[in-house]
Amino acid sequence: MLQGKKILLGVSGSIAAYKAATLTRLLVKEGAIVKVIMTPAAADFITPLTLATLSKNEVPLHISDHNSWNNHVMLGRWADVMLIAPASANTIAKMANGLCDNLLLATYLSATCPVLFAPAMDEDMWKHPATRQNIARLLQYGHQQIPVAAGELASGLIGEGRMAEPENIVALLRRHFSVAASARKPLDGKIAVVTAGPTIEHIDPVRYISNHSSGKMGIAIAEALADAGAQVKLVLGPTNLTTHHNGIDIIPVQSAEDMFRSVIAVYPLSDIVVAAAAVADYRPVQIADKKIKKGEDKFSISLEKTHDILRTLGNNKGPQQLLVGFSLETNNEREYALKKLRDKNLDMIVMNSLADPGAGFNHDTNKVTLFDNKGKERDIPLKSKQEVARDIVSAIIELQHA
């Protein structure tokens, strides 16, 4: 179960740090790819050179080592599991409270993978109410605690608090990956970006141009993607709706320019993009800094084009990225949708029409037709937007495996 698994081993300052050498050797023997990061205090118990030799990877110690300042986020994304062993009382307390004063903690706070930790400390420290509270908080975060062992402690006392033996930790990791394999979701490990809602383009401090989009469809798609295992970045325009799904990070925006910049920032790391937002095609050339007063019988505003987000994404799409657009029309729906699919280098387009009763803006239902770049067409009848979202995500999953 560990063959080819990427394991990030964090070693903190505990006498049990010496066990990290055996643990590293066993993991490598099982076929795992092991990278080790240490706290400065851990280096008082075992040298980085020892663990670098056993893991066959450099072991950074400080946040400035080996470009770690730039790379600790990617290191946290690289791993299939982050294993902190030993996890001292001090490191556990910092993890529980979000402190970040060394490389291990900076990487921990950036980790998007499951986190397992093996406590190691004296019995009185282990049983202290503060430690118990910190452990409880880490469990609330969804982390997995490796049970401590009882026996002779560094203080010379006999009791609980010993770090689990490396062989037991390896066995637990095997079980972890076995359970994960049986519970795997189709989009596990994928990063998805969804745009939703309207944009607003200011005319003056009190007026703006917008549209009737509520964001319901885009939010439903974001939730369906997260339910399928994806980590979702929801770029959400101004709406009174939101979501509290654990797998969704919301990036709030207002204008088309805000949405463009936010999407472009997260696009390079994304695997899937679903552009469901109703983005303004034009914006005022100038925004008045004071309220425009009523005057002449006729009043005109000069407009300029906004960035074409979909076209920009399509022009810069990588071979492994999947791009889905929306086409909401009032006439010639099929013609316009297929043209948009081709012209903007999309993998799939979702077509719906304001002419269909119960579809379009502000409804709880929708009726759509899906066209993909392989020529497949799929009609989805009038359903709740949540059901339509699941159908769209099913089509995305099929395209991912085509």
Side-chain angles (χ1 to χ4, degrees):
M1 291 305 302
L2 298 185
Q3 182 68 40
K5 299 301 183 185
K6 295 174 287 188
I7 298 176
L8 182 60
L9 175 61
V11 182
S12 67
S14 162
I15 185 62
Y18 78 90
K19 293 183 179 181
T22 302
L23 179 56
T24 300
R25 183 179 60 80
L26 290 174
L27 290 171
V28 171
K29 188 176 180 180
E30 292 269 338
I33 304 165
V34 182
K35 292 187 179 181
V36 182
I37 50 177
M38 304 173 67
T39 65
D44 292 335
F45 298 97
I46 186 170
T47 68
L49 178 60
T50 298
L51 296 176
T53 302
L54 293 170
S55 68
K56 301 179 177 63
N57 284 299
E58 290 183 337
V59 177
L61 188 59
H62 301 286
I63 198 120
S64 58
D65 290 347
H66 311 297
N67 296 316
S68 298
W69 177 252
N70 295 320
N71 294 336
H72 70 272
V73 172
M74 298 311 298
L75 196 59
R77 288 179 175 272
W78 166 84
D80 294 316
V81 157
M82 184 173 188
L83 168 64
I84 302 175
S88 66
N90 185 51
T91 291
I92 287 172
K94 290 179 178 180
M95 290 167 61
N97 290 281
L99 299 184
C100 182
D101 62 358
N102 59 49
L103 176 59
L104 190 155
L105 292 166
T107 306
Y108 159 71
L109 288 174
S110 303
T112 57
C113 59
V115 175
L116 286 72
F117 64 101
M121 63 197 74
D122 205 78
E123 184 176 41
D124 292 333
M125 298 171 70
W126 173 244
K127 292 184 175 180
H128 194 281
T131 302
R132 307 315 307 155
Q133 181 175 317
N134 290 332
I135 294 284
R137 183 173 290 183
L138 293 184
L139 297 178
Q140 288 174 356
Y141 293 164
H143 302 336
Q144 183 177 348
Q145 181 216 316
I146 297 172
V148 298
E152 185 176 355
L153 305 170
S155 63
L157 301 174
I158 304 294
E160 292 183 335
R162 287 172 58 94
M163 181 179 121
E165 293 304 316
E167 293 81 3
N168 294 336
I169 294 175
V170 171
L172 190 145
L173 280 171
R174 288 197 207 101
R175 288 196 297 273
H176 168 82
F177 283 111
S178 177
V179 170
S182 63
R184 187 166 292 134
K185 296 180 179 181
L187 295 180
D188 276 348
K190 302 295 184 182
I191 298 175
V193 177
V194 179
T195 67
T199 63
I200 61 174
E201 310 302 325
H202 285 283
I203 299 170
D204 64 20
V206 297
R207 302 181 182 92
Y208 57 80
I209 301 169
S210 190
N211 56 62
H212 296 294
S213 174
S214 65
K216 288 180 183 177
M217 192 71 248
I219 290 172
I221 290 170
E223 291 175 339
L225 285 166
D227 287 341
Q231 180 64 41
V232 181
K233 306 290 184 183
L234 175 60
V235 184
L236 185 61
T239 173
N240 61 353
L241 301 179
T242 190
T243 178
H244 300 289
H245 198 296
N246 288 336
I248 300 175
D249 297 323
I250 297 178
I251 304 173
V253 297
Q254 284 203 332
S255 68
E257 182 66 18
D258 294 338
M259 186 167 285
F260 174 77
R261 291 178 180 176
S262 296
V263 172
I264 292 302
V266 295
Y267 187 49
L269 293 176
S270 68
D271 301 292
I272 301 164
V273 177
V274 181
V279 186
D281 294 324
Y282 293 89
R283 65 185 175 202
V285 173
Q286 290 185 325
I287 302 173
D289 58 357
K290 295 180 181 179
K291 179 182 176 183
I292 299 171
K293 305 302 291 182
K294 187 185 296 184
E296 302 295 327
D297 290 342
K298 293 184 178 180
F299 174 73
S300 63
I301 301 172
S302 181
L303 303 176
E304 63 182 358
K305 275 189 176 181
T306 58
H307 284 104
D308 190 326
I309 297 175
L310 259 186
R311 187 177 298 278
T312 302
L313 299 182
N315 289 342
N316 294 278
K317 185 175 64 171
Q320 304 305 316
Q321 289 180 305
L322 192 146
L323 182 57
V324 179
F326 268 64
S327 179
L328 175 63
E329 304 293 345
T330 57
N331 62 293
N332 299 329
E333 292 94 340
R334 181 187 179 89
E335 176 187 343
Y336 289 142
L338 290 173
K339 185 176 187 301
K340 194 172 184 180
L341 176 70
R342 293 189 304 269
D343 292 352
K344 300 192 178 183
N345 193 27
L346 308 182
D347 296 285
M348 186 170 75
I349 193 157
V350 182
M351 181 195 80
N352 59 339
S353 170
L354 287 177
D356 292 327
F361 293 139
N362 289 309
H363 292 288
D364 292 326
T365 54
N366 208 357
K367 175 186 176 183
V368 303
T369 302
L370 310 182
F371 301 98
D372 68 33
N373 59 0
K374 302 183 186 307
K376 185 174 181 180
E377 178 178 339
R378 180 184 309 182
D379 288 318
I380 298 177
L382 190 69
K383 300 180 179 182
S384 73
K385 286 187 172 176
Q386 285 72 26
E387 290 176 296
V388 172
R390 288 192 285 271
D391 288 338
I392 292 170
V393 170
S394 293
I396 288 172
I397 293 168
E398 286 180 20
L399 279 174
Q400 281 260 309
H401 294 93

